[in-house]
C-alpha cells in the first residue's frame, strides 16, 4: 500500500477483506487482502490443481 494512504474502512474494522491467492518464492500459497495487504491467518487447504 502506498505511503500516506489509509486502509479501507471495512478492512480497518475487520468486517470485509478482498482475499486473493498469493505464493511465496518457494511455492507455498497464502491468502492476502488486495485492498489493505493483510495476510489471512488460518491454514489453507488449497488443492494442487487449484490453478
Amino acid at each position: 500500500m502506498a505511503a500516506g494512504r489509509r486502509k479501507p474502512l471495512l478492512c480497518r474494522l475487520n468486517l470485509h477483506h478482498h482475499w486473493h491467492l498469493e505464493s511465496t518464492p518457494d511455492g507455498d500459497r497464502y491468502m492476502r487482502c488486495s485492498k489493505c495487504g493483510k495476510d489471512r491467518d488460518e491454514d489453507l487447504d488449497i488443492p494442487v490443481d487449484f490453478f
Side-chain angles (χ1 to χ4, degrees):
M1 185 152 55
R5 290 187 58 200
R6 295 180 68 176
K7 286 183 182 181
L9 178 61
L10 293 177
C11 290
R12 282 187 281 146
L13 297 174
N14 206 27
L15 294 175
H16 179 74
H17 291 282
H18 188 254
W19 299 115
H20 70 277
L21 196 59
E22 294 274 337
S23 60
T24 62
D26 64 353
D28 287 337
R29 295 179 183 151
Y30 63 98
M31 300 294 280
R32 174 173 281 168
C33 178
S34 63
K35 302 286 185 182
C36 71
K38 178 180 180 174
D39 292 340
R40 201 167 186 168
D41 292 334
E42 53 272 357
D43 290 332
L44 298 176
D45 202 12
I46 301 168
V48 174
D49 60 351
F50 180 77
F51 293 98

